[in-house]
Amino acid sequence: MIVTLIVACEVAFWVLLAGGLALRYLARMPRAGAAVLLCEPLLELVLLAVTVIDLRNGGEPDWKHGLAAVYIGFTATHGHYMVKWADGHFAHRFAGGPRPAKPPRYGMARALHEWKMAGRAVGGAAIAAALLQLAIWYVGDPGQTESLRNWQGRMGFVTVISVIIALSYTVWPKRPKHSLGPEHPEHPEHLGDPKNPERTEPVRR
């Protein structure tokens, strides 16, 4: 039942998102659209309540309860980001809004973007790990909580990988392929005079 509810929550998230944006931009009902979008967090609360009730009624903790905690954690940190992304595209397409800016691709701006994404991932993993720990304490039997602890280990792995990816863009910032410095052998200064192919010495400017 929990897996089915997780799928239903994911479907409902996109249905509410589409409905809220349609009310805001197509029906010109911004307040009604905002009210629909504000219902999004209720989905996670329903899933959390059902998971707690299942454990309280004697359900054996397993991978489904862990998956529910992970879904709640990452939806909490990524849900607003997805709503903002969809709102920008919807406004551009149907309300004459500006074209949404694409994420930066190069340099420290890209590194900053990756750190923000890593922050969301780490935040989601932390929330999931905290919910898992609460479930472990609630069950109280170490022999029944191994699956939940395994999920906590996976959240630690997600955290480490996210930080490594962001750090790699900081230490080795990505540069466009056509951006060549004067010291590069393919820089125009080293290619000679384009009007005289036989001339190979550097062009003086």
Side-chain angles (χ1 to χ4, degrees), residues 177-191:
K177 294 181 179 179
H178 63 273
S179 179
L180 303 176
E183 72 283 354
H184 196 284
E186 295 182 10
H187 190 271
E189 180 177 327
H190 298 272
L191 295 180

Side-chain angles (χ1 to χ4, degrees), residues 18-74:
L21 294 178
L23 286 172
R24 174 179 291 182
Y25 294 109
L26 299 182
R28 299 294 190 270
M29 301 171 63
R31 292 185 178 180
V36 171
L37 293 176
L38 288 175
C39 292
E40 298 275 16
L42 296 178
L43 300 174
E44 286 74 58
L45 293 178
V46 170
L47 178 58
L48 178 61
V50 171
T51 304
V52 171
I53 292 172
D54 185 66
L55 289 174
R56 188 174 61 182
N57 291 339
E60 182 177 354
D62 56 16
W63 65 272
K64 297 186 294 293
H65 300 90
L67 181 62
V70 172
Y71 180 84
I72 293 170
F74 279 82

Side-chain angles (χ1 to χ4, degrees), residues 51-122:
T51 304
V52 171
I53 292 172
D54 185 66
L55 289 174
R56 188 174 61 182
N57 291 339
E60 182 177 354
D62 56 16
W63 65 272
K64 297 186 294 293
H65 300 90
L67 181 62
V70 172
Y71 180 84
I72 293 170
F74 279 82
T75 303
T77 56
H78 288 73
H80 177 71
Y81 176 79
M82 294 303 300
V83 170
K84 184 177 180 181
W85 173 85
D87 182 78
H89 284 274
F90 220 91
H92 171 67
R93 177 65 178 82
F94 298 105
R99 182 183 296 275
K102 295 182 179 181
R105 298 177 60 187
Y106 306 110
M108 295 310 296
R110 174 64 182 272
L112 179 60
H113 171 75
E114 294 297 332
W115 278 112
K116 290 180 179 179
M117 297 303 295
R120 294 187 182 94
V122 172

Side-chain angles (χ1 to χ4, degrees), residues 93-160:
R93 177 65 178 82
F94 298 105
R99 182 183 296 275
K102 295 182 179 181
R105 298 177 60 187
Y106 306 110
M108 295 310 296
R110 174 64 182 272
L112 179 60
H113 171 75
E114 294 297 332
W115 278 112
K116 290 180 179 179
M117 297 303 295
R120 294 187 182 94
V122 172
I127 294 173
L131 292 175
L132 290 165
Q133 188 60 46
L134 290 175
I136 290 171
W137 287 337
Y138 181 79
V139 174
D141 184 357
Q144 292 185 323
T145 57
E146 181 179 359
S147 176
L148 302 180
R149 294 191 183 279
N150 289 338
W151 276 106
Q152 284 184 318
R154 295 187 184 102
M155 294 304 95
F157 180 76
V158 169
T159 297
V160 171

